[in-house]
Amino acid sequence: MPMPLPLKHLAATMLYAVPSIGLAYGLIHFFGFDPKLAALGGLIAALLGAEAHAAISRSVERKAVRKELQELTSLAAGLSRDLDDAADKIVELEERFERETTERMERIFSEIRVVESLVKRLAETREFSNAIAAPAAAEGPAPEAQTESTQALADSDVPPPKPEKRLEDMDDSELLDTIRRSLETNRVDLYLQPVVSLPQRKTLYYEGLSRLRTDKGELIMPRDYMRVAEPAGMMPTVDNILLFRCIQVVRKLAQRNSKAGVFCNISAFSLLDEDFFPQFIDYMQHNTDLAQHLIFEFSQMTVNGAGPVERASLEALAELGFRFSMDQVTNLRFDAATLHDRNFRFIKVSAATMLEGTHMAGDIHAADLKELLKRNGIQLIVDKVENEREVVDVLDYDVELGQGYLFGEPRPVRESVLAEEPASAQKAPEMPLAAD
């Protein structure tokens, strides 16, 4: 434990005071000096000791002060560096905030342009359906045959409510009007079907499927609405809504650090649409971060029948880094190398085509298909797997990915997945996306 400062000074004083007194005493008794002279000599010795003590104390204090000044200077320099770092971080945060705000605004503006296109298209389909319904209205009863109450309803600004028919009882005009109302009222649901690894059956991807609902909640399946929606030019609208739903799911997957991808179907009509596709590309340019999770899927008929416009549309997406998948494959006669060059990374072949059409579906034997695609950087997915026997047979061909009702039927995406979640909930990668 260090000695306190006052004790140090007292000890130093004793070091020169005691010898000074001894000097005076010795001068008197040993050398016979006059007591006054001896006292004066002792006093002079004490003063010299005191001066030496003071000089040494000042030197020690100066060293301590210099050390403290150095420490303060070092502390001030450290604070200055911290302030500079803080200023740099503030500038960086300001630049990042401005950049993210700009990107977010560009994304919002691109979405607004797409929504404007949707509204315009829905208005055009309304005119289309009215044009179809006009001849049928002309064949109705004459105005003079209407009752007074019916005439009053006709003169009203509010159209009379019409009882909704079942889908199987609707003609094309009524079905088209039902589809249009479903789109206008946002009764479009996203269903997800898992794509699993084989034989582990771990979910690696999802396929996004759109389902429309009538006013009464009856589902309108793609096989029902595509027949009338395609000639009416409504498929880009359906594709667009499906795309936005898929993007919501993809962003949730990214928040959970999931590597799962989502297959999103796009029709040939969307690739050809001169209003929809440029806006679609513009939106994707501001969302290239989606490329690692979002995979665009096209039917084999669309791929084989692609003309210059469709090819240019695919090239525009490929340049942004998006991958493609070809499904609804009914013929194994295709050039895998060419598909890879066009950025196709997945091909879906049904279990029936793989197992039953091995000698008549094309030039490629089903047993060699997986290796052929693998050499060209394409993954084979066997879909429409319905029973365990098909799984066993498919595994004989060393297939690694499967899809079908056996592994999971399409289920609607839960509303909580599309809603904002707290940060704690975003760390649950195993939470299912679709409703049970």
Side-chain angles (χ1 to χ4, degrees):
M1 180 176 179
M3 183 182 296
L5 187 61
L7 292 179
K8 288 182 178 180
H9 285 294
L10 178 61
T13 302
M14 295 299 293
L15 287 176
Y16 61 81
V18 171
S20 298
I21 295 173
L23 175 64
Y25 182 80
L27 290 175
I28 295 173
H29 291 280
F30 295 103
F31 297 99
F33 275 69
D34 186 293
K36 294 181 179 179
L37 291 175
L40 180 61
L43 180 61
I44 292 172
L47 290 175
L48 291 174
E51 184 64 25
H53 176 208
I56 293 172
S57 298
R58 286 194 296 271
S59 176
V60 171
E61 289 177 357
R62 281 197 297 271
K63 289 181 179 179
V65 170
R66 281 198 297 269
K67 183 178 180 181
E68 291 179 356
L69 286 176
Q70 290 176 353
E71 291 177 352
L72 289 174
T73 302
S74 177
L75 179 61
L79 291 175
S80 178
R81 287 193 300 270
D82 291 342
L83 288 175
D84 292 339
D85 292 341
D88 293 340
K89 289 182 179 179
I90 291 174
V91 172
E92 181 181 352
L93 288 174
E94 289 178 348
E95 293 176 350
R96 179 180 175 184
F97 176 77
E98 183 177 355
R99 182 174 64 254
E100 291 181 352
T101 302
T102 302
E103 292 175 354
R104 192 175 294 111
M105 292 301 297
E106 290 176 349
R107 184 182 302 166
I108 292 173
F109 287 143
S110 63
E111 290 183 3
I112 290 175
R113 287 193 292 270
V114 173
V115 171
E116 289 177 348
S117 176
L118 290 177
V119 173
K120 177 182 177 182
R121 187 171 303 283
L122 287 173
E124 292 173 351
T125 56
R126 180 186 291 271
E127 295 174 359
F128 180 85
S129 59
N130 290 339
I132 294 178
E139 298 175 0
E144 55 269 22
Q146 297 179 346
T147 63
E148 293 182 1
S149 59
T150 305
Q151 185 64 44
L153 287 173
D155 294 337
S156 173
D157 292 334
V158 180
K162 296 181 180 180
E164 187 179 275
K165 296 181 179 180
R166 295 180 60 84
L167 289 177
E168 56 267 23
D169 299 329
M170 295 182 184
D171 58 25
D172 288 355
S173 175
E174 293 169 330
L175 180 58
L176 184 62
D177 189 59
T178 300
I179 294 170
R180 177 183 51 76
R181 289 200 307 272
S182 297
L183 296 175
E184 288 178 340
T185 54
N186 198 27
R187 292 197 301 272
V188 183
D189 298 327
L190 174 66
Y191 280 61
L192 294 181
Q193 185 174 31
V195 178
V196 303
S197 63
L198 295 177
Q200 299 87 356
R201 305 192 184 189
K202 178 183 178 182
T203 299
L204 299 181
Y205 303 95
Y206 295 95
E207 178 170 359
L209 305 167
S210 58
R211 302 284 189 269
L212 306 184
R213 283 180 288 111
T214 66
D215 296 336
K216 293 183 177 180
E218 185 178 1
L219 286 181
I220 311 176
M221 304 298 286
R223 62 176 178 272
D224 298 320
Y225 66 72
M226 289 181 66
R227 178 175 55 84
V228 294
E230 287 181 347
M234 298 177 69
M235 284 311 299
T237 304
V238 177
D239 287 346
N240 209 330
I241 295 176
L242 174 62
L243 172 66
F244 282 146
R245 296 285 194 272
C246 288
I247 287 175
Q248 287 178 299
V249 172
V250 163
R251 293 202 183 283
K252 291 298 178 182
L253 290 172
Q255 289 175 358
R256 300 171 185 177
N257 296 321
S258 173
K259 295 182 180 180
V262 177
F263 291 90
C264 183
N265 285 272
I266 296 182
S267 68
F269 292 88
S270 297
L271 296 176
L272 288 169
D273 192 279
E274 58 183 9
D275 294 325
F276 165 79
F277 203 78
Q279 296 174 1
F280 175 66
I281 290 295
D282 181 65
Y283 182 79
M284 289 296 101
Q285 285 176 340
H286 295 102
N287 294 273
T288 54
D289 58 307
L290 301 173
Q292 58 181 330
H293 291 289
L294 194 59
I295 305 154
F296 295 116
E297 193 162 73
F298 308 93
S299 67
Q300 186 180 38
M301 182 180 297
T302 298
V303 176
N304 291 343
V309 176
E310 294 97 324
R311 289 178 180 271
S313 299
L314 292 177
E315 289 175 1
L317 283 174
E319 289 176 357
L320 297 177
F322 289 94
R323 298 167 294 169
F324 306 137
S325 171
M326 185 172 73
D327 71 342
Q328 302 180 34
V329 175
T330 58
N331 193 318
L332 300 184
R333 294 187 180 93
F334 51 75
D335 188 340
T338 300
L339 289 174
H340 179 270
D341 292 341
R342 294 167 65 182
N343 227 34
F344 279 85
R345 296 295 180 264
F346 301 89
I347 288 182
K348 292 184 178 181
V349 181
S350 68
T353 301
M354 285 286 293
L355 302 177
E356 299 173 8
T358 54
H359 298 288
M360 54 186 301
D363 297 330
I364 307 170
H365 194 282
D368 303 323
L369 181 59
K370 189 256 184 179
E371 287 302 320
L372 172 67
L373 295 178
K374 185 177 180 180
R375 288 197 300 271
N376 289 278
I378 299 176
Q379 288 185 279
L380 172 63
I381 302 174
V382 175
D383 63 355
K384 300 180 182 177
V385 179
E386 308 298 337
N387 55 67
E388 293 291 345
R389 183 62 204 174
E390 289 179 337
V391 176
V392 174
D393 294 338
V394 162
L395 287 175
D396 289 340
Y397 296 148
D398 197 26
V399 174
E400 298 176 348
L401 296 173
Q403 179 182 353
Y405 276 76
L406 179 65
F407 308 124
E409 63 183 50
R411 295 186 181 277
V413 175
R414 295 182 297 106
E415 290 297 328
S416 59
V417 173
L418 301 180
E420 291 296 328
E421 298 178 359
S424 59
Q426 295 173 2
K427 296 181 180 180
E430 299 302 327
M431 181 162 52
L433 293 174
D436 294 332

